[in-house]
Amino acid sequence: MNNIIGGFLMPHAPILIEEIGKGEEKKSQKTVDSMNKIAENIKRQKPETILIITPHGNFFRNAISINLNENLYGNFHQFGNEKLEISVNNDVKLANKIASLAEEKDIETYTFSKEAVDRYNINHELDHGVLVPLYFIRKKYSDFKLVHINYAFFSGEKLYEFGKLIQKASELLGREIVVIASGDLSHRLTRKSYSGYSPKGEKFDRSLIRLLKENKLQEIVNFDKNLAEEAGECGLRSIQTALGVFDDLEIETKVYSYEGPFGVGYGCVKIEVVDEHVKLAKLSIKTFLDTGEKLKLPENLNKEDFYNKIAGTFVSLKKDGELRGCIGTIFPTKESLGKEIIENAVSAAFRDPRFYPVKKEELDELDYSVDVLEEPEEIKDISKLNPKIYGVIVTKGSRKGVLLPNLEGVETVEKQLDIVLRKAGINKEEDYTLERFKVIRHK
């Protein structure tokens, strides 16, 4: 199972915050809008833990610092607003696991907490590289723990290797995480920049944003160190570390915005893990919108999964957290799982009678899931049901209702049955056939 839900590049300039910018933040409205969009994304993803890689915490050239304090706290007193504060629980177990894996791989880390011996006059409060992203995230979503990491002056390759350990730790502990690479880009874009001006600043930003857009991740890991240094940036190492978290995963990147109104580059970027089942559903809908024809099953898909396997599937679409379409088949109707997904994706987008057809401008706003069904089994009583594990099918003559497992808001068997019986138009007192099934959910 992949536990990495997604990732983002977020700038951390306090002036982006309304209570600090006091109107100046409007000069970076594209960035503010993108930060809010990222927060909405995270709200939909619902990670257990958010891990933020920052340049501005406890910095050591030769060791990555990892915060082990139980409660993580900080405020914006350095920026004129000490009343604006954030407190969040630390995922100490995950932080410790990352540190222990790094020790095994001889990657230098420094762990600190208030209880441990303090050799370096450590600041235990969260830095603004963490606080600014959290400010926007917490407006939308707060049910998470945090891991607070400060990169070191390691090579891009070594930071990437450390990122791989974050992925391994999340898998070992079963944590679903979102990774935030906190960092501004060049601080030397104009002659009014407080770090001075360099023509290399714009070149750095343009190059990095292009590589992110084109998904050229290895080139980012091996980015020109001299160009980065002359640009006066602070985000490259955060990104290099974050990319390691997605090692061996298929990802797509999307640049939400880039601007530099104060002589500092602000880039907002989404890193999305691509599941092959979901990718096929998305491509099916886009192809139908573009051509009016159904997608032909691509030849580059895994033959065993998409050509040789047959199964019923449900394709579900959501927009802003609300259902936007859902159509499926309990039993396979096509000669391969790939064709089943294509058919049901098109139906979910354009043939669900509860919704108007999906429009082209909505595509970037949709969240997709593809459920692959195991064969249903008949059961005699409801004690065999569990709404988190099993979907349910009820049948009475020609009336049939289906409900998928593990749906938000469906916590009890009684509620699960109430919904599916109403869908089928079957009265609770009637005799009906009851079946359960498991699914493999791809999203």
Side-chain angles (χ1 to χ4, degrees):
M1 176 184 176
N2 171 41
N3 294 88
I4 311 303
I5 300 176
F8 301 91
L9 167 64
M10 299 180 75
H12 51 235
I15 199 170
L16 298 171
I17 293 174
E18 182 180 7
E19 292 90 334
I20 295 173
K22 297 179 181 178
E24 289 294 295
E25 75 282 355
K26 294 177 182 177
K27 295 178 181 177
S28 294
Q29 195 61 50
K30 289 181 182 178
T31 302
V32 171
D33 291 344
S34 294
M35 298 283 268
N36 286 320
K37 188 174 183 178
I38 288 171
E40 287 285 358
N41 268 271
I42 292 173
K43 178 184 176 182
R44 293 198 299 270
Q45 293 169 328
K46 296 182 179 177
E48 298 173 71
T49 299
I50 295 175
L51 184 145
I52 301 184
I53 304 155
T54 175
H56 294 305
N58 292 299
F59 175 76
F60 301 92
R61 294 187 66 87
N62 299 314
I64 294 168
S65 68
I66 304 176
N67 194 331
L68 298 183
N69 286 298
E70 292 281 347
N71 180 260
L72 303 176
Y73 167 85
N75 65 44
F76 288 92
H77 69 275
Q78 288 180 301
F79 305 95
N81 195 327
E82 65 180 18
K83 292 182 180 179
L84 189 58
E85 57 186 10
I86 292 175
S87 178
V88 61
N89 290 329
N90 192 356
D91 191 340
V92 177
K93 194 169 184 179
L94 179 58
N96 269 313
K97 177 59 72 175
I98 293 167
S100 66
L101 291 175
E103 184 177 3
E104 291 173 13
K105 292 292 185 179
D106 294 324
I107 296 178
E108 301 84 353
T109 63
Y110 182 77
T111 57
F112 63 92
S113 68
K114 292 178 182 176
E115 292 76 26
V117 175
D118 184 356
R119 290 180 288 164
Y120 297 108
N121 192 27
I122 290 295
N123 179 8
H124 294 278
E125 292 193 0
L126 295 175
D127 61 279
H128 71 275
V130 177
L131 291 172
V132 173
L134 284 182
Y135 168 86
F136 287 93
I137 293 167
R138 289 274 295 254
K139 287 195 294 183
K140 306 290 184 180
Y141 179 67
S142 59
D143 189 19
F144 64 89
K145 290 185 177 181
L146 180 69
V147 172
H148 173 211
I149 290 176
N150 201 114
Y151 65 61
F153 268 4
F154 292 156
S155 68
E157 293 88 345
K158 192 169 183 177
L159 291 171
Y160 186 91
E161 287 299 313
F162 179 77
K164 288 166 63 174
L165 301 180
I166 295 172
Q167 181 193 110
K168 184 176 180 181
S170 73
E171 291 172 356
L172 289 172
L173 297 180
R175 291 287 195 280
E176 292 191 335
I177 72 171
V178 161
V179 180
I180 305 294
S182 173
D184 297 333
L185 303 186
S186 174
H187 291 63
R188 298 173 179 170
L189 292 180
T190 70
R191 300 195 182 279
K192 293 183 179 179
S193 299
Y194 63 85
S195 296
Y197 169 71
S198 170
K200 299 293 180 66
E202 184 179 351
K203 182 179 179 182
F204 169 85
D205 284 13
R206 202 168 52 241
S207 298
L208 184 59
I209 292 296
R210 177 183 58 80
L211 293 174
L212 285 166
K213 279 183 178 178
E214 296 175 0
N215 221 23
K216 294 183 176 178
L217 309 183
Q218 195 56 47
E219 291 186 37
I220 296 174
V221 174
N222 298 314
F223 200 92
D224 184 337
K225 298 183 182 74
N226 292 328
L227 176 58
E229 185 175 347
E230 290 192 37
E233 55 75 37
C234 67
L236 178 61
R237 290 181 176 84
S238 292
I239 298 169
Q240 290 169 329
T241 308
L243 290 179
V245 182
F246 297 91
D247 181 67
D248 276 345
L249 299 176
E250 184 172 356
I251 64 173
E252 292 179 353
T253 54
K254 182 176 179 61
V255 176
Y256 284 156
S257 63
Y258 169 79
E259 59 183 345
F262 303 109
V264 179
Y266 303 146
C268 292
V269 181
K270 178 181 181 180
I271 305 172
E272 182 177 16
V273 179
V274 181
D275 178 276
E276 284 295 317
H277 297 72
V278 171
K279 186 177 181 180
L280 180 60
K282 293 171 72 172
L283 183 59
S284 302
I285 293 170
K286 184 179 185 303
T287 299
F288 195 84
L289 270 171
D290 289 342
T291 68
E293 303 288 336
K294 287 180 188 171
L295 176 72
K296 291 182 180 179
L297 190 57
E299 294 182 0
N300 61 346
L301 293 173
N302 182 289
K303 295 292 188 288
E304 189 61 36
D305 287 342
F306 293 95
Y307 278 82
N308 301 337
K309 184 175 181 178
I310 61 170
T313 67
F314 274 75
V315 176
S316 303
L317 311 175
K318 286 189 173 182
K319 181 179 176 180
D320 297 327
E322 300 294 328
L323 189 66
R324 183 65 181 82
C326 179
I327 295 289
T329 46
I330 302 170
F331 298 101
T333 63
K334 302 293 179 183
E335 60 269 30
S336 69
L337 176 60
K339 290 185 177 180
E340 199 84 29
I341 292 171
I342 292 169
E343 181 69 29
N344 290 335
V346 171
S347 294
F350 307 109
R351 298 171 188 155
D352 189 330
R354 298 168 294 178
F355 304 95
Y356 58 84
V358 166
K359 297 178 181 178
K360 203 165 191 174
E361 55 267 27
E362 294 182 88
L363 290 181
D364 286 342
E365 302 172 16
L366 295 178
D367 293 313
Y368 300 74
S369 66
V370 177
D371 289 318
V372 180
L373 279 64
E374 296 183 2
E375 189 171 343
E377 59 176 332
E378 187 173 342
I379 56 175
K380 298 301 181 184
D381 63 83
I382 65 172
S383 67
K384 304 294 185 181
L385 291 176
N386 181 329
K388 291 294 182 185
I389 299 173
Y390 296 106
V392 62
I393 305 168
V394 293
T395 308
K396 173 70 175 179
S398 62
R399 290 172 289 167
K400 186 185 291 284
V402 183
L403 196 66
L404 296 170
N406 198 23
L407 297 177
E408 187 174 355
V410 183
E411 306 292 338
T412 66
V413 170
E414 291 73 21
K415 186 162 187 179
Q416 186 184 43
L417 279 174
D418 180 62
I419 294 170
V420 75
L421 287 169
R422 279 193 283 110
K423 287 181 69 175
I426 299 173
N427 191 287
K428 290 180 181 179
E429 284 68 42
E430 293 185 72
D431 291 328
Y432 54 85
T433 301
L434 187 62
E435 297 172 277
R436 71 181 188 180
F437 61 92
K438 288 183 178 181
V439 306
I440 300 174
R441 180 160 293 164
H442 301 268
K443 59 182 182 177

